[in-house]
Amino acid sequence: MNIRGSWDRFADAFLNGRVLAKYWPDILAGLGVTIELAVLIVITGIAAGLALALLRCLGWRGLNWVIVQVVDLFRALPPLVILVLIYFGLPRAPSGFVSTWISLALVLAAFAEEIFWAGIVSVPKGQWEAARSTGLRLGQTLRLVVLPQALRVTIPPLTNRAIAITKGTALGSVVAVSEVLGAASSAMSNSYNASPLLLGAGAYLVLFVPVVVLGRFVERRLGPTAKPNHV
Amino acid sequence: MTTTTRVAPLIDARGLHKHFGPLHVLKGVDLMVAPRELVVVIGPSGSGKSTLLRCLNLLETPDSGSVVVDGIDLMDPRTDINLARQRIGMVFQSFNLYPTMSALGNVTLALRHVAGKSAAEADVLGMAALARVGLADRAGHRPHQLSGGQQQRVAIARAVALEPRAMLFDEPTSSLDPELVGSVLAVMRELRADGMTMVVVSHEMGFARAAADRVVFMEDGAIVEQGPPDAIFGDATHSRTRAFVGQIRA
Ligand SMILES: Nc1ncnc2c1ncn2[C@@H]1O[C@H](COP(=O)(O)OP(=O)(O)O)[C@@H](O)[C@H]1O
Ligand SMILES: [Mg+2]
């Protein structure tokens, strides 16, 4: 009786059919925004990270120092702080959408640079020497010989990091982006009911569970963790 | 030696100095190698043999001195070092094959991207180079599917395919199991028979005696003594050479 009553109250608050029916299109639209943000962040963040790692290969000391400082900065700051600084701090404030994109892309670029760099330096010096001794240029050596080897160790950690950071798109709700969490929160305050939040959580699962599974698959195919080294 | 003074040297390195930080690794080394000559460089570990060899294709840049190969002044800033390196093959102790590529892929990479051959042309030339080292039937194998001796022969094919004017070998058999050394040395002897100009850092005395025109003994960043193999291995002038030869013979 008592349990029955609690369940009814819970169902009314979180699984309210009327509320769900009314607001699911909003959540779906939010999912679209989240996906759009995630794709933009992953593409620009990884491209920028790779570009920084390649610049570092030129071995210009001053430039490398700057890259390392900037990368450390964006790895150290909480993404929310970067987002708020960009959204409220820049003289001509970009939209919430653009602010979320830029801030998370910067964070991903910083982590990606470190991951790419670690991958590049893990390739033995002899590979560079063999390639250069046949007349391949620095850029050709990177593209044809070093990166294909570096990517094998790069992809698993990069996938994990990209997933972790794109989940941060939920921060967009703080700066009025109607991504999943934003849409769910609005629906919740408009309906005085928490059901949209559960729907939102479901939407995140639908989006990220396949990505996480894909990440695990990639890791199993390529990762150094596929087999413990001592075996 | 009299012939080498008449013909213009193919490799002409003079007054090479190289420092690594406070370490003075090359202390004014001259090395001239005539066309079709095979020079073996011996000397204790750390004496600067690898550094000397790597200066000859500018994998290391000498602090001073000159390196002219096949008439090209490698130290001249106007020289395109990447084009020059095409003419100087190099083979490393640790093979350094590209693990992501097949044997043929290893051999054709520079043919396509440096020598500008089409993929089809490169494959033909690459197969010919693999055939030359006796590995045409391993063209599709990845390096990890090959024995050390086979890997080193692929590495030789990779250098030979570019039709270099000279080849540099840095202890090409030192990381091989003893039973695999012979196959690599056999390929090197064939190259020699075909008239390739070679500088070989190696302590394989049998090979040096049979194939070398000249043996150079290096110690502490300088050439101590050089001469025909029989002289260096038989009755060297310097006691340090004799002591070292005694060691590697033991
Ligand atoms: N890249 C480098 N940086 C610092 N020291 C080096 C480097 N390469 C070689 N050396 C040092 O230079 C000396 C000569 O090395 P090397 O030419 O490899 O001698 P060898 O081939 O005769 O054994 C050694 O003391 C070695 O430790
Ligand atoms: Mg050496």
Side-chain angles (χ1 to χ4, degrees):
Chain A
M1 173 66 202
N2 216 344
I3 291 175
R4 181 75 196 263
S6 325
W7 167 252
D8 285 346
R9 259 181 286 133
F10 176 83
D12 184 57
F14 286 97
L15 294 166
N16 188 307
R18 266 180 309 106
V19 174
L20 290 176
K22 183 168 178 201
Y23 289 103
W24 74 261
D26 290 2
I27 307 288
L28 195 64
L31 187 60
V33 175
T34 295
I35 291 174
E36 202 181 333
L37 266 176
V39 168
L40 285 171
I41 290 163
V42 166
I43 292 174
T44 52
I46 289 179
L50 179 59
L52 288 173
L54 293 178
L55 276 179
R56 217 169 147 185
C57 288
L58 294 175
W60 297 342
R61 250 188 228 153
L63 180 66
N64 285 5
W65 187 84
V66 171
I67 291 174
V68 171
Q69 302 310 308
V70 171
V71 161
D72 282 355
L73 181 74
F74 283 102
R75 291 201 302 164
L77 284 172
L80 181 57
V81 172
I82 301 170
L83 174 58
V84 167
L85 280 174
I86 287 178
Y87 186 67
F88 295 107
L90 288 188
R92 282 194 50 214
S95 70
F97 182 90
V98 172
S99 301
T100 308
W101 169 17
I102 294 176
S103 51
L104 293 181
L106 285 171
V107 175
L108 181 54
F111 280 98
E113 191 280 330
E114 278 302 303
I115 293 170
F116 280 122
W117 180 250
I120 289 169
V121 299
S122 77
V123 175
K125 196 165 163 244
Q127 293 289 311
W128 286 89
E129 294 179 344
R132 297 308 303 273
S133 78
T134 61
L136 289 168
R137 290 160 203 281
L138 177 79
Q140 291 176 312
T141 302
L142 263 172
R143 180 166 57 86
L144 301 166
V145 173
V146 174
L147 280 183
Q149 296 177 56
L151 288 184
R152 286 187 75 80
V153 296
T154 297
I155 285 173
L158 198 59
T159 310
N160 288 332
R161 187 55 72 176
I163 292 169
I165 289 173
T166 44
K167 279 193 295 189
T169 50
L171 293 174
S173 59
V174 175
V175 291
V177 180
S178 296
E179 45 70 63
V180 173
L181 183 59
S185 309
S186 318
M188 189 167 71
S189 35
N190 292 338
S191 64
Y192 302 104
N193 184 282
S195 300
L197 212 52
L198 205 65
L199 198 57
Y204 278 118
L205 289 182
V206 167
L207 176 57
F208 281 109
V209 164
V211 180
V212 170
V213 169
L214 180 74
R216 192 181 295 276
F217 173 76
V218 169
E219 187 157 17
R220 206 174 302 139
R221 287 290 303 276
L222 298 175
T225 52
K227 212 175 6 154
N229 280 328
H230 59 271
V231 170
Chain B
M1 287 294 282
T2 47
T3 55
T4 57
T5 50
R6 279 202 198 110
V7 189
L10 188 69
I11 296 174
D12 189 340
R14 294 179 200 225
L16 296 182
H17 282 268
K18 180 70 185 176
H19 293 79
F20 288 116
L23 209 60
H24 198 172
V25 175
L26 294 182
K27 304 174 179 172
V29 174
D30 299 322
L31 184 70
M32 271 150 284
V33 184
R36 307 171 79 86
E37 192 182 15
L38 192 156
V39 174
V40 164
V41 181
I42 62 172
S45 176
S47 57
K49 306 179 297 294
S50 296
T51 305
L52 168 61
L53 212 59
R54 296 153 59 81
C55 282
L56 301 181
N57 65 355
L58 251 55
L59 278 186
E60 279 329 327
T61 311
D63 299 332
S64 61
S66 69
V67 183
V68 179
V69 178
D70 197 21
I72 304 171
D73 182 354
L74 301 192
M75 300 285 277
D76 186 335
R78 287 165 303 181
T79 299
D80 182 344
I81 185 62
N82 297 299
L83 289 181
R85 280 182 180 147
Q86 238 191 110
R87 304 182 177 212
I88 314 162
M90 189 162 205
V91 174
F92 303 86
Q93 178 175 349
S94 49
F95 326 139
N96 301 345
L97 292 183
Y98 314 132
T100 53
M101 299 172 207
S102 66
L104 183 61
N106 269 273
V107 177
T108 55
L109 188 74
L111 282 171
R112 293 168 58 191
H113 297 278
V114 180
K117 307 286 184 195
S118 71
E121 286 174 306
D123 280 354
V124 171
L125 294 170
M127 284 307 297
L130 284 175
R132 208 166 158 185
V133 299
L135 289 172
D137 58 335
R138 296 287 189 276
H141 285 53
R142 292 288 184 86
H144 72 268
Q145 299 170 311
L146 300 170
S147 74
Q150 291 172 331
Q151 287 187 51
Q152 191 61 299
R153 281 146 66 198
V154 172
I156 293 173
R158 172 171 68 184
V160 164
L162 291 165
E163 298 185 342
R165 298 300 313 278
M167 287 185 63
L168 313 172
F169 292 79
D170 194 356
E171 305 208 33
T173 58
S174 294
S175 54
L176 293 177
D177 292 334
E179 73 271 20
L180 300 175
V181 168
S183 66
V184 170
L185 293 180
V187 167
M188 291 169 63
R189 278 187 205 192
E190 273 171 39
L191 281 176
R192 153 100 185 117
D194 292 344
M196 179 64 75
T197 306
M198 296 159 74
V199 182
V200 182
V201 174
S202 172
H203 294 153
E204 292 288 340
M205 214 185 289
F207 172 78
R209 274 185 183 277
D213 298 296
R214 180 157 50 112
V215 174
V216 171
F217 173 60
M218 269 187 85
E219 193 179 57
D220 196 20
I223 292 177
V224 174
E225 184 170 3
Q226 52 185 309
D230 287 341
I232 298 295
F233 295 131
D235 60 334
T237 318
H238 289 76
S239 58
R240 287 185 292 171
T241 315
R242 280 200 298 273
F244 181 77
V245 167
Q247 263 176 33
I248 60 174
R249 182 171 281 147

